[in-house]
Each structure stands twice: as structure tokens, then as C-alpha cells.
Amino acid sequence: MPNGVMETAKQKMDNAINAFTRELASIRAGRANASLLDRITVDYYGVPTPINQMAGISVPEARLLAIQPYDKTIIGEIEKAILKSDIGITPSNDGSIIRLAIPALTEERRKDIVKTVKKEAEDSKVVIRNIRRDANEEFKKLEKNSEITEDDLHRNGDEIQKLTDAYIKQIDDIAKEKENEIMEI
């Protein structure tokens, strides 16, 4: 039973790391990245549809995204959705392809983005610590129901702490890598 609690906690921590990585991928760092558009949806026949499901997205240059809709009649709606989003880029189109020129970031903007990355990292650490707390509560219930001994409770508590430390270090490493990417000129 303690192994089940540990496996569940490990799986939840993996999911938290994946969510953190996805969140960082959608933060603009001065380079064109198709995941920048992941959170933008377009109203397509009454259904909010992600852009990547209704258009081909390519990166022809380091600072340029090209969006080629499968249905050219929707090109205006895609442009409007991009303008309404918080990515801060003005699209241009030639009737069949939308181009997004990613501007170089100013020093001030880079520092703002780094703050956002640090906030996201802190939020992810809180998620990891909450998973640790839940696992420790499960171990205490098992000990209370005499399914594990008090020594097992302490041993499992130590193991979940080591697991938590490893995942928090992983978050720190990912955040540091993203900060370096953002501050790189």
C-alpha cells in the first residue's frame, strides 16, 4: 500500500512538471515557437478551436511564425483571435498566410518575463509540496489503521521528501534554462 501512495505521488509530480514545461513553452522568449499559439482559440462554426487544429504552423525564420489556415475563409477570425490574445504581436496576412514577426525583446520586457517564469516556477513548487502533504497524510492514515508501522511512516516520509526535493530541483533547472533563454541577446 505505501508503494501505491508513492507511485501516485510520483505520477502527480510528473504531471506537475509536464504542466510547468507546457506553461513555459507558451511564454514568448524572443524566438518564434509554434507553442506560442497553443492557448489561442478561434470561434470556428460556433466551436472554440485551437489554431494549431485549423492551420499549419511553421517557423521559416528564427523570428517569424507562418500560419496557413486549412480553410482560407477563416483567416480574418484567426487574425482577430491573435490580436485579442495577450501575446502582444500584430499579425499580417497576404490572403493565404498569416505571418507573425516576433520582435526582439527590450531589457525591461525580458525582466518582466523572467518574473513571470519565477512566479510559474513558484506555483509549480507549491503544487509539488501539496502532493507531498497529501502523500504524508495518506501514510499517516495507513499508520493509524495499523497497515504500516511507525518506522515505515518515518521511512516513507523521508522517501517522499527526497522525491519532493528532486522534483523541486528539476523545476529550478527548467526555470533557470528558460531564464537564460530569455536573457540571451
Side-chain angles (χ1 to χ4, degrees), residues 51-179:
I51 289 177
N52 60 10
Q53 291 182 11
M54 57 194 321
I57 301 171
S58 61
V59 184
E61 296 172 24
R63 293 188 185 268
L64 186 68
L65 271 178
I67 304 164
Q68 188 165 16
Y70 304 127
D71 177 4
K72 289 186 170 90
T73 60
I74 198 75
I75 200 164
E77 294 298 319
I78 293 174
E79 261 190 300
K80 285 179 190 171
I82 292 169
L83 285 170
K84 285 182 186 173
S85 72
D86 63 349
I87 62 172
I89 301 171
T90 304
S92 64
N93 88 61
D94 63 2
S96 62
I97 296 177
I98 298 172
R99 289 184 176 80
L100 294 177
I102 313 292
L105 298 173
T106 63
E107 184 71 24
E108 186 177 317
R109 180 73 181 135
R110 288 174 198 269
K111 288 178 181 174
D112 286 346
I113 294 173
V114 167
K115 283 181 190 172
T116 304
V117 169
K118 286 181 179 177
K119 183 186 174 309
E120 291 293 334
E122 197 53 46
D123 290 348
S124 294
K125 287 178 189 178
V126 168
V127 169
I128 297 290
R129 290 180 191 125
N130 286 341
I131 294 167
R132 174 190 60 193
R133 183 199 61 213
D134 293 346
N136 280 332
E137 287 174 4
E138 283 295 318
F139 290 134
K140 285 178 186 172
K141 282 182 192 171
L142 292 173
E143 196 258 339
K144 190 175 178 181
N145 294 336
S146 302
E147 293 179 42
I148 61 172
T149 65
E150 192 174 331
D151 288 343
D152 291 338
L153 174 68
H154 291 294
R155 188 175 26 256
N156 288 326
D158 290 344
E159 284 183 33
I160 198 75
Q161 183 60 47
K162 285 178 188 171
L163 194 64
T164 302
D165 292 344
Y167 277 93
I168 285 182
K169 183 179 179 334
Q170 199 174 343
I171 288 171
D172 285 338
D173 292 345
I174 293 169
K176 188 72 183 167
E177 186 179 318
K178 185 69 176 185
E179 286 176 36

Side-chain angles (χ1 to χ4, degrees), residues 42-53:
V42 178
D43 191 37
Y44 189 57
Y45 293 108
V47 178
T49 309
I51 289 177
N52 60 10
Q53 291 182 11

